């Protein structure tokens, strides 16, 4: 029994994680490769957008970069999880090792937890593709941009809130922590890396609410002017 408890670095130490194998790649190399991949995605997207729509406002270009990055992470990184969730502990490919590193802050990803598996499945199948579609709508200045942007931002806010709430409730109410005790894993991996998907979606949610509200106000003014004639 003691050998099982010490056979992996995840918390709680009695979590059932089968066939765990330590990462063969250093965290520095994993982060460097991730940074390069992210730069390529963002740089390529910006070049493509600038070529297709050179007059597109800077704010809209930044929005496209955000939704393309979100869609890529949702569909490919999180897509890896829903396909390999039951045997990631032994993985030595790039995405598998990234997941094993991140899971030091939340071992539920190593145990096929029902909540994270269902939540990530919805994210991969619905919200990821919708992020790409919103980016397309922004590029083409389509009238559906703000209604769909509002929906996808709400999904991010709801999903992140639920993700935080369930983990913290287990920690404080049941004394069951899924994160290693080192502050780095909690504040950088668990808190900061997920909090980004609260701050930025909240900004774009507010933007869409304001745009839709302004559109209705303009419509009401037009209707009032027509009635006054």
């Amino acid at each position: 029994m003691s050998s099982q408890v010490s056979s992996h670095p995840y918390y709680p130490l009695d979590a059932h994680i089968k066939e765990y194998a330590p990462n063969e790649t250093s965290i520095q190399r994993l982060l460097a490769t991730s940074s390069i991949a992210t730069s390529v995605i963002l740089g390529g997207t910006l070049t493509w957008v600038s070529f297709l729509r050179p007059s597109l406002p800077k704010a809209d270009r930044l929005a496209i970069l955000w939704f393309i990055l979100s869609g890529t992470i949702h569909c490919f990184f999180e897509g890896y999880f829903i396909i390999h969730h039951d045997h990631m502990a032994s993985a030595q490919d790039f995405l598998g090792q990234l997941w094993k590193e991140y899971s030091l802050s939340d071992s539920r990803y190593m145990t096929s937890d029902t909540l994270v598996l269902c939540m990530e499945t919805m994210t991969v199948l619905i919200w990821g593709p919708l992020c790409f579609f919103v980016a397309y709508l922004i590029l083409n200045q389509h009238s559906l941009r703000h209604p769909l942007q509002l929906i996808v931002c709400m999904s991010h806010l709801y999903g992140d809130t639920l993700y935080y709430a369930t983990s913290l409730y287990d920690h404080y109410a049941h004394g069951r922590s899924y994160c290693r005790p080192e502050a780095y894993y909690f504040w950088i991996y668990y808190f900061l890396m997920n909090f980004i998907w609260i701050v930025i979606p909240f900004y774009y949610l507010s933007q869409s609410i304001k745009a839709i509200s302004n559109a209705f106000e303009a419509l009401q003014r037009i209707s009032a002017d027509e009635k006054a004639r």
Side-chain angles (χ1 to χ4, degrees):
M1 183 68 178
S2 60
S3 61
Q4 284 186 323
V5 168
S6 61
S7 63
H8 63 74
Y10 301 101
Y11 272 60
L13 294 174
D14 61 354
H16 179 64
I17 299 174
K18 57 184 180 180
E19 301 177 357
Y20 169 73
N23 280 347
E24 296 175 354
T25 305
S26 68
I27 180 58
Q28 292 82 4
R29 187 171 180 181
L30 289 174
L31 292 177
T33 304
S34 301
S35 299
I36 293 171
T38 300
S39 298
V40 170
I41 292 169
L42 295 179
T45 300
L46 185 59
T47 302
W48 172 65
V49 169
S50 299
F51 174 76
L52 292 178
R53 295 287 187 274
S55 62
L56 196 68
K58 181 179 179 181
D60 286 344
R61 296 186 190 205
L62 291 175
I64 289 174
L65 291 180
W66 166 253
F67 284 105
I68 289 294
L69 179 61
S70 292
T72 301
I73 292 173
H74 293 337
C75 290
F76 296 99
F77 183 56
E78 292 165 79
Y80 179 97
F81 167 73
I82 68 170
I83 294 172
H84 302 283
H85 67 89
D86 60 343
H87 56 271
M88 285 201 310
S90 60
Q92 294 300 340
D93 55 273
F94 174 66
L95 292 181
Q97 291 188 79
L98 269 184
W99 270 115
K100 285 198 290 181
E101 178 66 22
Y102 174 76
S103 297
L104 292 169
S105 72
D106 190 347
S107 67
R108 292 180 295 178
Y109 285 95
M110 286 287 112
T111 59
S112 299
D113 177 82
T114 301
L115 171 75
V116 296
L117 182 56
C118 292
M119 184 174 65
E120 295 291 6
T121 300
M122 290 184 63
T123 299
V124 171
L125 298 181
I126 301 174
W127 310 126
L130 190 56
C131 282
F132 287 127
F133 189 49
V134 169
Y136 168 80
L137 296 176
I138 298 171
L139 180 68
N140 290 282
Q141 301 289 278
H142 198 282
S143 59
L144 282 175
R145 179 257 179 99
H146 285 293
L148 293 183
Q149 179 173 290
L150 187 150
I151 291 171
V152 75
C153 288
M154 277 298 300
S155 76
H156 283 137
L157 292 173
Y158 177 76
D160 247 20
T161 301
L162 187 63
Y163 175 71
Y164 279 139
T166 52
S167 176
L168 294 175
Y169 182 81
D170 275 347
H171 176 73
Y172 289 108
H174 303 305
R176 188 171 183 82
S177 177
Y178 303 109
C179 180
R180 287 192 56 83
E182 295 87 347
Y184 174 82
Y185 294 113
F186 180 83
W187 290 109
I188 303 298
Y189 286 12
Y190 175 80
F191 178 77
L192 182 60
M193 292 177 69
N194 290 287
F195 194 63
I196 294 171
W197 270 265
I198 287 182
V199 174
I200 299 180
F202 182 78
Y203 169 78
Y204 285 117
L205 173 68
S206 302
Q207 181 190 67
S208 292
I209 290 173
K210 183 178 180 180
I212 293 171
S213 176
N214 289 342
F216 273 101
E217 286 180 0
L219 182 61
Q220 288 170 351
R221 285 196 298 269
I222 292 172
S223 298
D225 289 343
E226 289 178 349
K227 290 179 181 178
R229 290 174 184 173

